[in-house]
Amino acid sequence: QVQLTESGGGLVQAGGSLRLSCATSGFPIRNYHMGWFRQAPGNEREFVAASSRPGVATFYRQSVEGRFTISRDNAKRMVYLQMNSLRPEDTAIYYCASSTAALSSIRQPTMWNYWGQGTQVTVSS
């Protein structure tokens, strides 16, 4: 049974940091791209960051470039998102996901196979 379980969300002031974690099971993580998406109320789910299999390349949406860092530990079956210099506009539910799609399409939510339930991140001004 495939499972992705996010943790680490919470309430933080603008300028602060959070580290999200994603524990995985039920699929061969080293064969999958791993990524983070987010969805704010009234908005569509959007790409945040991805780590290619087997973790050689990383990709970010422009607004988080230089502030967020995605990493993965295949041996522990974990994926992380370190978020620094958080802004109120980063407030959203953050989802961990896995994909076997071509790298050219990983920014599209429909190209991801498995999803976690999400963790809420709230950044106060």
Side-chain angles (χ1 to χ4, degrees):
Q1 181 181 0
V2 173
Q3 286 190 319
L4 292 85
T5 306
E6 303 93 338
S7 61
L11 173 64
V12 63
Q13 288 188 331
S17 298
L18 283 174
R19 187 194 193 207
L20 304 184
S21 299
C22 174
T24 73
S25 64
F27 66 99
I29 185 174
R30 63 181 66 251
N31 293 343
Y32 283 71
H33 310 309
M34 297 301 301
W36 291 92
F37 286 73
R38 67 187 182 188
Q39 188 167 17
N43 291 356
E44 294 185 349
R45 192 168 297 190
E46 62 183 23
F47 171 83
V48 176
S51 170
S52 70
R53 61 191 178 190
V56 175
T58 55
F59 308 85
Y60 299 93
R61 70 178 297 107
Q62 187 174 9
S63 63
V64 308
E65 190 91 46
R67 300 188 297 124
F68 290 12
T69 303
I70 186 171
S71 61
R72 61 195 289 169
D73 185 332
N74 289 340
K76 295 182 179 180
R77 306 185 58 84
M78 296 291 296
V79 185
Y80 306 98
L81 185 68
Q82 178 66 44
M83 305 186 295
N84 299 328
S85 302
L86 282 161
R87 305 167 181 169
E89 54 264 38
D90 294 319
T91 295
I93 299 174
Y94 282 70
Y95 298 91
C96 176
S98 60
S99 174
T100 56
L103 285 176
S104 59
S105 61
I106 60 170
R107 296 174 185 269
Q108 303 171 36
T110 56
M111 301 306 293
W112 290 74
N113 304 86
Y114 305 123
W115 294 85
Q117 293 300 304
T119 185
Q120 176 70 47
V121 172
T122 303
V123 184
S124 62
S125 57

